[in-house]
């Protein structure tokens, strides 16, 4: 497991942990800065300043897609650098990236949606869904899984070793707890993978099918998922680590047969990982997801409050709290921000920030950590430019 430090709010810099999902870099040519001028939307003074800054970062190794909006006005929606360096395919605003642990908000949302549909309750014990639960885990609730307070370790076993859902369940139930359930926050990918299993058991359909039909399709998110979207491989970002080609996630992680153009293990392709961080998306689709929270197309007012409640202190300073798949925090301006980021094999990064009191949202996805120009490092630079120019 790798830990990353992110300085979140530029006015009051402090440590923040980026927790990877799978244990999942780009020497670029200066001509990218010229090519990127034709790609995407740039509006207003803030948009121009952001675009100029990000274009300069391309020469230092930055490569990714960025989306910034204030109220209903899109300030910036643009790609920078290459999605595929060897084929010289530039990143565009609609390039598809793995989003790592940003996936967790969708897993949590599926649980809350199922509760709205009367198919489960977050207060349920896991004994309602699994047989032969050991005594030390019998009091674990869905709420505790959602808030990383179940005591289940960060990652149980190896994804490469686990071939079936039952094997995964058995491995989690036999794992030694790090803490007594409900007593302490400890980030856990395995807890969110277990939530994905609960979604399937409660809904009676595969995990990704439920997300697609109940979360993504109603919002018009056509480029979000793992196997359900009809992705063009040409539109999926290739990852680079230390300036060398790593590949895309279908080459490296999802068992795609290029010869026969066929995916193996649809819906059950990886039992550990799918609830914690296996989703791909675009910055534009994440904006649609952000916008749906302004109404009640998918969630009731009560359900949204449940998602964004600050349930448990993460141990950060200044304080940050975990809700259901989101972190909640106060900025140095005294306003509220909810966010989550993600990392895939120290190659891809994503960062999603909703400044709810100031009606500002921005998200970025990157496919290279070359010279530390990944999303987590660039994010506070974006925040500084945004809020310096909104005063």
């Amino acid at each position: 497991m790798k830990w990353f430090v992110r300085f979140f709010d530029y006015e009051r810099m402090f440590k923040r942990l980026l927790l990877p999902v799978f244990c999942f870099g780009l020497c670029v040519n200066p001509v990218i800065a010229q090519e990127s001028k034709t790609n995407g939307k740039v509006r207003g003074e803030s948009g121009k300043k952001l675009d100029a800054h990000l274009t300069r970062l391309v020469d230092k190794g930055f490569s990714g897609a960025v989306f910034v909006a204030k109220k209903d006005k899109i300030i910036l929606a643009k790609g920078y650098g290459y999605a595929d360096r060897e084929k010289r395919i530039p990143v565009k605003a609609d390039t598809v990236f793995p989003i790592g642990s940003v996936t967790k908000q969708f897993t949590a949302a599926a649980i809350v949606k199922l509760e709205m549909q009367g198919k489960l309750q977050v207060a349920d014990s896991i004994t309602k869904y699994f047989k032969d639960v050991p005594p030390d885990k019998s009091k674990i609730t869905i709420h505790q899984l959602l808030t990383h307070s179940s005591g289940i370790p960060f990652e149980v076993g190896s994804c490469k070793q686990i071939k079936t859902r039952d094997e995964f369940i058995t491995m989690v139930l036999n794992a030694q707890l790090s803490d007594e359930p409900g007593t302490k926050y400890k980030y856990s990918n395995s807890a969110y993978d277990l939530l994905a299993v609960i979604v399937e058991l409660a809904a009676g359909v595969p995990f990704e099918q439920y997300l697609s039909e109940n979360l993504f399709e109603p919002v018009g998110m056509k480029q979000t998922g793992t196997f359900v979207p009809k992705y063009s491989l040409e539109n999926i970002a290739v990852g680079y680590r230390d300036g060398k080609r790593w590949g895309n996630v279908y080459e490296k992680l999802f068992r795609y047969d290029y010869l026969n153009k066929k995916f193996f293990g649809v819906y059950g392709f990886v039992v550990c990982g799918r609830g914690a961080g296996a989703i791909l998306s675009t910055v534009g689709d994440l904006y649609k997801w952000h916008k749906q929270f302004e109404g009640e197309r998918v969630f009731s007012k009560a359900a949204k409050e449940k998602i964004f409640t600050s349930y448990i202190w993460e141990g950060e300073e200044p304080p940050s709290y975990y809700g259901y798949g989101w972190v909640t925090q106060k900025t140095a301006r005294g306003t509220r921000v909810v966010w989550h980021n993600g990392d895939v094999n120290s190659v891809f990064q994503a960062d999603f920030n909703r400044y709810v009191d100031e009606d500002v949202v921005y998200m970025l996805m990157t496919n290279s950590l070359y010279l530390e120009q990944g999303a987590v490092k660039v994010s506070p630079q974006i925040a500084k430019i945004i809020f310096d120019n909104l005063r």
Side-chain angles (χ1 to χ4, degrees):
M1 178 174 67
K2 292 179 181 289
W3 297 87
F4 295 84
V5 174
R6 178 203 176 180
F7 295 99
F8 180 72
D9 192 290
Y10 72 94
E11 295 176 304
R12 192 174 178 185
M13 302 179 83
F14 55 87
K15 289 183 179 179
R16 165 179 172 185
L17 297 177
L18 172 67
L19 297 138
V21 54
F22 304 109
C23 212
F24 251 180
L26 167 82
C27 296
V28 293
N29 191 302
V31 300
I32 299 173
Q34 296 177 351
E35 293 175 357
S36 67
K37 291 180 181 178
T38 62
N39 167 25
K41 298 178 181 178
V42 180
R43 293 176 178 169
E45 193 62 27
S46 292
K48 291 178 182 178
K49 289 185 177 181
L50 285 165
D51 184 47
H53 178 72
L54 294 169
T55 299
R56 287 192 295 270
L57 290 183
V58 169
D59 291 343
K60 299 179 180 179
F62 176 68
S63 177
V66 182
F67 194 110
V68 181
K70 166 72 172 174
K71 294 186 177 179
D72 292 325
K73 182 179 179 182
I74 298 173
I75 297 171
L76 181 71
K78 189 172 175 180
Y80 300 85
Y82 282 123
D84 189 320
R85 174 180 162 194
E86 289 73 22
K87 294 182 180 180
R88 301 184 69 79
I89 299 174
V91 176
K92 298 180 180 179
D94 63 352
T95 297
V96 176
F97 290 81
I99 61 173
S101 288
V102 176
T103 294
K104 290 181 174 66
Q105 64 189 253
F106 298 119
T107 303
I111 291 289
V112 174
K113 186 68 175 180
L114 283 165
E115 186 173 57
M116 284 179 60
Q117 295 168 339
K119 296 181 179 180
L120 58 72
Q121 293 184 345
V122 295
D124 288 343
S125 164
I126 63 172
T127 57
K128 184 175 179 179
Y129 304 94
F130 307 116
K131 298 178 181 179
D132 302 319
V133 178
D136 65 327
K137 300 175 184 70
S138 62
K139 294 182 180 180
I140 293 176
T141 64
I142 292 176
H143 171 81
Q144 291 167 354
L145 295 173
L146 288 165
T147 56
H148 298 296
S149 59
S150 67
I152 293 175
F154 171 75
E155 207 159 77
V156 177
S158 168
C159 289
K160 294 180 180 179
Q161 297 172 349
I162 300 172
K163 294 181 174 62
T164 69
R165 189 173 74 181
D166 287 345
E167 285 181 11
F168 171 73
I169 294 169
T170 299
M171 191 168 290
V172 172
L173 294 182
N174 289 336
Q176 183 176 351
L177 295 179
S178 60
D179 302 285
E180 183 179 345
T183 63
K184 188 180 294 185
Y185 170 89
K186 189 159 289 186
Y187 195 93
S188 173
N189 282 337
S190 292
Y192 265 75
D193 292 335
L194 198 63
L195 286 169
V197 175
I198 292 174
V199 169
E200 291 187 331
L201 295 174
V205 297
F207 175 66
E208 191 184 357
Q209 180 181 340
Y210 183 82
L211 265 61
S212 180
E213 293 175 353
N214 291 270
L215 304 182
F216 304 150
E217 290 178 9
V219 182
M221 297 168 66
K222 298 180 180 180
Q223 295 295 307
T224 301
T226 308
F227 293 115
V228 171
K230 302 300 182 183
Y231 289 131
S232 166
L233 292 178
E234 294 293 311
N235 199 41
I236 297 174
V238 171
Y240 295 84
R241 181 190 288 155
D242 298 325
K244 298 179 180 179
R245 185 186 181 98
W246 180 82
N248 71 47
V249 289
Y250 292 107
E251 294 170 334
K252 304 290 283 192
L253 299 171
F254 295 163
R255 296 190 299 165
Y256 179 75
D257 183 346
Y258 278 86
L259 181 62
N260 298 307
K261 302 297 181 183
K262 182 179 180 180
F263 291 114
F264 289 97
V266 175
Y267 301 126
F269 73 101
V270 57
V271 182
C272 56
R274 58 185 179 152
I279 286 177
L280 289 79
S281 190
T282 67
V283 289
D285 264 15
L286 291 190
Y287 181 63
K288 292 176 182 178
W289 182 243
H290 157 76
K291 291 296 290 181
Q292 65 82 21
F293 282 118
E294 296 178 354
E296 296 187 17
R297 279 183 293 169
V298 179
F299 300 103
S300 65
K301 181 179 179 181
K304 289 186 290 184
E305 289 178 354
K306 181 166 286 191
I307 290 170
F308 295 113
T309 294
S310 300
Y311 291 110
I312 188 165
W313 180 48
E314 289 191 300
E316 297 283 342
E317 188 60 42
S320 65
Y321 300 85
Y322 210 86
Y324 286 175
W326 290 89
V327 178
T328 66
Q329 212 159 23
K330 287 287 187 180
T331 71
R333 297 177 299 281
T335 58
R336 188 168 184 246
V337 58
V338 295
W339 58 268
H340 212 293
N341 51 28
D343 179 274
V344 181
N345 269 41
S346 299
V347 176
F348 301 95
Q349 287 188 348
D351 199 29
F352 190 175
N353 303 269
R354 302 178 65 244
Y355 292 82
V356 291
D357 294 336
E358 295 159 294
D359 210 350
V360 170
V361 61
Y362 75 87
M363 60 284 293
L364 64 157
M365 303 173 184
T366 57
N367 62 332
S368 172
L369 293 187
Y370 179 67
L371 294 180
E372 297 188 336
Q373 292 297 340
V376 174
K377 293 291 186 179
V378 174
S379 185
Q381 301 169 34
I382 291 175
K384 176 172 173 54
I385 293 172
I386 292 171
F387 291 106
D388 276 353
N389 286 276
L390 288 180
R391 292 175 177 175

